[in-house]
Each structure stands twice: as C-alpha cells, then as structure tokens.
Amino acid sequence: MSEHNSAFCPELSDDLRELRDWVHGFAEDVVRPAGAEWDEREETPWPILQEAAKLGLYSLDFFAQQWFEESGLGLPVAFEELFWGDAGIGLSIVGTGLAAAALAGNGTPEQMGEWLPQMFGTPGDVKLGAFCASEPDAGSDVGSIRTRAEYDAVKDEWVVNGVKTWATNGGIADVHVVVALVDPALGTRGQASFVIPSGTPGLAQGQKFRKHGIRASHTAEVVLDGVRVPGRCLLGGKEKLDERLARVRSGARGGEQAAMRTFEATRPLVAAMAVGTARAAFEYARDYAREREQFGRKIGENQAIAFLLADMATRVDVARMMTWRAAWMGRHGRTFHQAEGSMSKLVASETAVWVTEQAIQILGGAGYTREHPVERFHRDAKIYTIFEGTSEIQRLIIGRAVTGLPVR
C-alpha cells in the first residue's frame, strides 16, 4: 500500500482500516492493471466483476453491511480505494449500488427481499441493477421527467412509456428501477419508482454511448414502450403512493420521492469516487516528480512542482474530509442544513478535475500520452462534475440552503 494512503485516516477504526486495506489490495492487484485494457475496449469488465463477486466485494451483503456501518464511512472508504484503481472498472462494480439505494429508499421490506438479491446474483452468476432517472430533454432537471406510468385497475398493472438516458448498466441490467410520473400535475412530487425486470416486453436498450471517460462502465438509453408490470412492482405500494399524493394535493409540504431522495443519499459516495481518482493522479505525479530529472536534479526539487503537489495533496485531503462529514451526517440522520451532501460532491468533483489536470502538467508531454495513466484519470474525472447533478445544480442547491431564498 502506498505511503500516502497509509498515512491518511489515522482515526479510522480497526475494522475500517482492514476494509480499506482489503479493497486497496484488490484495486492494486486486479483493477489498476486492467484499467487501460477495458478503457480501450469500452466494454463491461465481466471477468473483474466475477472476481469481485468471488471475493465478496460485489455482493448484496457487502453493500448492505457497509451502508449500515456505524460511522457511515464504510462505502466511502471502499469507493475511494476502488476508484483509486480505475474509475471505469470501479463504476462497473458499484453501479448497481445506485439502483439498490433507490430500491431501499422507496421500497417495502418485501420488495427489498425479492429484488435486491436479483440485482447482484451470485459469484457464479453475476447480475446487474440500473437506476433510470435522467431523460433526453430533462438532464439534471428531474422536474422535467416525462416518462409516464398509468395504472390499469382491472389488471392491477402499471403501464410505463418513455425513454431514459445516461443509465449506468441500462439495457443490460437484470433489474431496472425506473422513475416515472404518475400525476403530471404535481411535478416532482407526482413521481414514483418502479421495478422492471429484464425480459419484460417493451423494455429495450437504446443507444449505447461512447464516452470521453469511464469507458469500462456501460451507459445507454433505456426505451420503455408499453411496458406492463404487476402492481407489486410499484416501490412502496399503491396504498402508500395514494396517501402521499393525497397529502400533496391537499397542500401539505414535502412529498418528494424517487430521484431526488436517491441522489441526496448517494452524493457523498460520488464524492468518494472523485477523491479516489484525484488521489491516484496526485500519487502518480508525486512519484514521477521524485524520479524524473531535468537540469541535473529531480523535478520535485523545483518549488513550482513542489508547491503544486502541496496544493494537490491539500485539496484531496479537504475533499475527503468533506465527504466523510457528509457521509457521517447521513448515517446519523443529521439534517443537511447547508446542503453538506451537495458540498461534498461539488468540492470533490472539481478537485478531481483540477488535480488530474495538474498531474498531466507535471508529467508534461509524457502525461498527455497513454503511456501514463494520468490522461485517463483526467478523462475519467470530468464525469464527477456532471452525473448525479452537475456542479451548477450543486451550487444551486447550496445557494438555496445558505440563503433560504428560492435561488433560480
């Protein structure tokens, strides 16, 4: 394990240290060596998913255990290490977790018991989950979702129509969790989430996207054309939905569901991904500066390089601390009065972009080539400022929180 990482987090419990070291070992031995290959192939790295499943890293038990870990730091610690290894492969391993979080946040115990195991499968039969919220004309504006779900009372079925986009594992997942409008007049408060298994008539993969970064993670459109699912596939159930919609129609405050609740819970996890990528770039640039000689001395002896590395290390630490604070607050039910979840994602994502860019600068022309991983780290980092709410959306949320005004 790198000296940088071992010097970090002295306050972690013994269990979290063990978790960190275990995941780091997998990232170092399995994930990082394969990063360049799967980036070039732009395919889901099934062999690595299977290896992760054999070790228990890709499993429902692992995600559930770390989600409910007492400090709230289990998944952030694990995600940082995975994404230190490689962001594309890391997202392939953890992408199902977003769908699982959506199901856990909105579903009944019975629904969780039925569908969560089907999202992960077994070591010999790996499965995937996909969370489908974004749409072609909506992007970060979840209030503009147009996918519609209508109830057929005679058959106790829901009929879903629409197109989702930017879905991790979209179209190839075994279980899709889809956000849809059930009452368009209520906007975001008229949304609900549905479980749609693979093979359901009318469910199909649309365009698969070729991306700037995170290429080992499958991203595609999901087309829903007259998809029919039983009533039990409505997360939370019909009775709970009717009660919630009735409260909203009566003028009661609150009632937000589905996408926004899921994103708020997972923003610190995206921040942890960004910290992992930023740390990887910093460490690579630091090690390069220790070895590379120009004008008769190590380039790390130059103040320009040393000061830049100092800023990189500091920003990574700041991002980590904000991420851990938000994760701890979420685990202990603390209210994000100043949108601390959004703060963590904003700072960590923009740190990742900046640090990876500086890493390329330190390596110079070598850093711009694929002979070194920092150019891939830089391509991967940009997504953190975009998915699960752009930096602009995070600033909007934070601005509303700190001013108490309806910032637009």
Side-chain angles (χ1 to χ4, degrees), residues 38-58:
W38 291 98
D39 176 72
E40 291 284 349
R41 293 175 65 165
E42 298 191 52
E43 297 174 357
T44 300
W46 289 106
I48 297 177
L49 282 172
Q50 291 163 357
E51 187 67 23
K54 290 177 183 177
L55 294 175
L57 182 56
Y58 184 81

Side-chain angles (χ1 to χ4, degrees), residues 325-340:
R325 178 184 67 170
W328 181 88
M329 290 177 69
R331 177 66 180 89
H332 291 87
R334 303 296 178 90
T335 301
F336 290 159
H337 289 295
Q338 296 196 95
E340 287 86 352

Side-chain angles (χ1 to χ4, degrees), residues 60-124:
L60 175 58
D61 287 346
F62 174 79
F63 277 82
Q65 180 181 357
Q66 299 310 322
W67 182 267
F68 293 108
E69 191 274 330
E70 184 177 0
S71 70
L73 301 183
L75 286 179
V77 166
F79 281 21
E80 178 180 334
E81 299 306 325
L82 274 178
F83 283 71
W84 172 89
D86 180 73
I89 294 175
L91 192 57
S92 286
I93 294 173
V94 308
T96 293
L98 184 58
L103 175 54
N106 297 304
T108 65
E110 292 76 18
Q111 288 170 326
M112 287 187 277
E114 178 179 3
W115 296 108
L116 283 175
Q118 295 186 46
M119 288 185 178
F120 292 91
T122 64

Side-chain angles (χ1 to χ4, degrees), residues 17 39 44 55 63 115 122 151 155 201 210 240 248 284 304 314 332 339-340 396 407:
R17 284 173 176 270
D39 176 72
T44 300
L55 294 175
F63 277 82
W115 296 108
T122 64
Y151 185 58
K155 296 183 178 181
R210 301 189 65 188
K240 185 177 179 181
V248 173
Y284 197 92
T314 300
H332 291 87
E340 287 86 352
L396 185 65
V407 179

